[in-house]
Amino acid sequence: MPENEDKIKKLYDTFVSDGYDMESEEDFRKNLSDSTKRKAAYDALVKEGYEMEPFEEFENNIGFGKIQTPVPEPAVQTEQAWQPTEQEKAEMIAGTNRMMQNVETQIQDANERVDNIQEYGLNPGLQTKEGKMQFNPENGKLEKNIYYSTW
């Protein structure tokens, strides 16, 4: 028995087991060839609470739907991976070096702040503390730093 006939038999048996007064299976098959009657059978199944696929799929499943030819998938064009030029590579390396220098400067600044906190402490109130001798790049002289505490 072909596959679609098996599905029609199962459908017929479902109607019979649910208590429908059915014509013969042969007449049922003949009636399913009429799209209006096919739709009525589908609607009856939905009304009875059966979870059904869309009507078009139902028709296809029992062998009466439109034959759909598979749509060929378009050929996928693969892009070639980006290959940087020598100049782009040099620019990327220079940019990375700048970032590393900025990070190193920020780390040094943070370490200096920590050293200053350890050396001078954080006392409450506005107090001045004399710092150590350091080179001042603005005037080119060695000077003592003075730190103000506002806590």
Side-chain angles (χ1 to χ4, degrees), residues 56-118:
E56 292 77 23
E57 284 183 43
F58 169 75
E59 284 187 307
N60 285 334
N61 285 338
I62 61 172
F64 292 103
K66 297 174 185 162
I67 299 174
Q68 296 179 352
T69 56
V71 177
E73 293 184 27
V76 177
Q77 295 179 350
T78 57
E79 278 189 33
Q80 290 189 355
W82 174 67
Q83 293 294 323
T85 64
E86 291 302 316
Q87 182 179 358
E88 290 171 326
K89 288 179 186 178
E91 289 172 3
M92 286 188 280
I93 290 171
T96 304
N97 288 339
R98 279 191 302 276
M99 285 189 274
M100 292 300 291
Q101 288 172 349
N102 288 340
V103 168
E104 186 63 34
T105 302
Q106 291 173 354
I107 290 172
Q108 287 174 353
D109 291 344
N111 287 339
E112 184 178 343
R113 284 192 297 274
V114 169
D115 290 344
N116 289 338
I117 290 171
Q118 289 174 345

Side-chain angles (χ1 to χ4, degrees), residues 11-76:
L11 181 60
Y12 179 81
D13 292 343
T14 299
F15 278 114
V16 170
S17 68
D18 284 350
Y20 285 96
D21 186 22
M22 299 292 292
E23 68 266 4
S24 70
E25 186 179 335
E26 184 180 320
D27 288 339
F28 179 71
R29 287 177 187 282
K30 200 183 309 174
N31 286 334
L32 280 181
S33 64
D34 179 352
S35 65
T36 305
K37 293 179 182 177
R38 200 167 41 247
K39 177 72 169 135
Y42 175 83
D43 290 341
L45 288 169
V46 171
K47 185 177 179 183
E48 287 296 316
Y50 291 99
E51 289 187 30
M52 300 293 292
E53 66 266 3
F55 180 68
E56 292 77 23
E57 284 183 43
F58 169 75
E59 284 187 307
N60 285 334
N61 285 338
I62 61 172
F64 292 103
K66 297 174 185 162
I67 299 174
Q68 296 179 352
T69 56
V71 177
E73 293 184 27
V76 177

Side-chain angles (χ1 to χ4, degrees), residues 115-132:
D115 290 344
N116 289 338
I117 290 171
Q118 289 174 345
E119 185 175 343
Y120 304 113
L122 292 174
N123 296 326
L126 182 59
Q127 299 178 7
T128 60
K129 300 261 182 169
E130 191 172 306
K132 56 186 172 187

